Amino acid sequence: MEKKPVLVVALGGNALLKRGEPLEAGIQQQNILIAAGVIARLTDEWRVVLVHGNGPQVGLLALQNAAYSDVAPYPLDILVAESQGMVGYMLQQALRNALPSQEVTTLLTRVTVDPADPAFQDPCKYIGPVYTSVQAADLAAEKGWRIKQDGTGFRRVVPSPAPLAISESAAIHTLLQHDHLVICNGGGGIPVVQTGQTMAGCEAVIDKDLSAALLATQLQADALLILTDADAVYRDWGTPSQEAIGQVTVSSLAGTRFDAGSMGPKVDACCQFVRTCGGYAGIGSLQDGGRILSGQKGTLIIPG
């Protein structure tokens, strides 16, 4: 029996906890049930590898972590690992219930980064909840956080170095070959640096879209799908002339700039994958799911 094509899905942390929603387990569980329904339908046509974001979740863990002052705060790499377990478990439960005959496996995943990556000097990855300008200023002064504007609000930003290698890629490939729906690279992966044969965690959160594109390339996937809280990629976003981009070639996007803290990495990830593997990539809202890959909704990036 011929195997189905491989699809890597990157599910945004903001698709699991929508902007402005309280960071509560019950609310996240409800959103995960919706996400699981979409992912389950994709398995009709694809072998799915699922990468999830963790921006709101790892930010919440950092806040909880800082609230207990009797011990030193845990570093970000450990918080990313915690978020992989938390979100991965919730997705695994929901997907297994939606697909009783499908094996679903969550894999703790490390991703190597370069300690000299310039991202460490220019934090731009949003984590945690949205704050008012007053709240943001108070937190920056109290905790030494870097804060940047995100839409109409403000959020904490941390370094987001480029992913170089996925330590567990062989295990992911093996699980996929045995028809498991694999949940991996959560939050972009646990950030580690390697010196000789020794690995150590570092203070960063890797962009899950770039990590998903790297994984899709290593697996030689047929398609990459990025599901987020935006219905498409827009030219001139936030201006009167903004325009949704439908089907588009990689070459026609050359030179077009998108926000470095949100849509930019998504477009970069898709273009990188399409150029390298010759597959196609979609960006759009969770609710549109598979219709993005058929060109009916969202943005579809194709070779050319």
Side-chain angles (χ1 to χ4, degrees), residues 134-147:
V134 174
Q135 290 172 323
D138 289 344
L139 286 166
E142 176 189 347
K143 301 182 182 300
W145 288 353
R146 294 283 294 273
I147 302 285

Side-chain angles (χ1 to χ4, degrees), residues 34-270:
I34 296 170
V38 173
I39 303 304
R41 288 191 290 275
L42 289 170
T43 63
D44 290 341
E45 300 179 30
W46 304 89
R47 283 182 291 157
V48 173
V49 180
L50 180 59
V51 176
H52 63 80
N54 72 343
Q57 294 83 5
V58 78
L60 172 63
L61 290 173
L63 286 170
Q64 294 172 333
N65 191 35
Y68 185 68
S69 57
D70 287 358
V71 298
Y74 279 43
L76 271 176
D77 60 307
I78 293 178
L79 299 185
V80 171
E82 289 182 12
S83 73
Q84 283 193 3
M86 173 176 65
V87 181
Y89 157 71
M90 296 173 83
L91 283 167
Q92 184 173 4
Q93 285 280 80
L95 284 164
R96 191 64 176 76
N97 289 336
L99 299 164
S101 61
Q102 171 72 61
E103 293 289 347
V104 182
T105 300
T106 301
L107 185 65
L108 203 66
T109 317
R110 298 163 297 166
V111 174
T112 304
V113 301
D114 183 350
D117 191 304
F120 285 104
Q121 306 304 318
D122 182 25
C124 68
K125 176 66 175 175
Y126 297 118
I127 67 170
V130 178
Y131 301 108
T132 66
S133 59
V134 174
Q135 290 172 323
D138 289 344
L139 286 166
E142 176 189 347
K143 301 182 182 300
W145 288 353
R146 294 283 294 273
I147 302 285
K148 287 187 178 180
Q149 189 165 357
D150 182 15
T152 58
F154 296 83
R155 295 175 73 191
R156 182 186 176 188
V157 289
V158 298
S160 184
L164 301 179
I166 297 164
S167 299
E168 284 70 35
S169 60
I172 295 166
H173 185 266
T174 299
L175 288 166
L176 188 60
Q177 289 300 107
H178 285 81
D179 295 321
H180 285 233
L181 192 166
V182 187
I183 303 167
C184 59
N185 282 41
I190 303 165
V192 296
V193 295
Q194 186 157 3
T195 305
Q197 297 299 310
T198 302
M199 282 186 176
C202 62
E203 282 285 290
V205 173
I206 300 167
D207 184 87
K208 68 102 178 36
D209 300 312
L210 295 177
S211 183
L214 176 62
L215 176 61
T217 299
Q218 291 189 351
L219 295 175
Q220 288 294 293
D222 298 278
L224 171 66
L225 177 61
I226 296 178
L227 299 175
T228 183
D229 56 357
D231 64 343
V233 179
Y234 283 77
R235 284 193 176 90
D236 303 322
W237 171 254
T239 71
S241 61
Q242 72 178 34
E243 178 186 15
I245 300 172
Q247 184 167 304
V248 64
T249 63
V250 172
S251 59
S252 67
L253 285 174
T256 307
R257 297 182 64 83
F258 301 96
D259 179 41
S262 56
M263 194 55 75
K266 294 173 174 53
V267 175
D268 289 346
C270 287

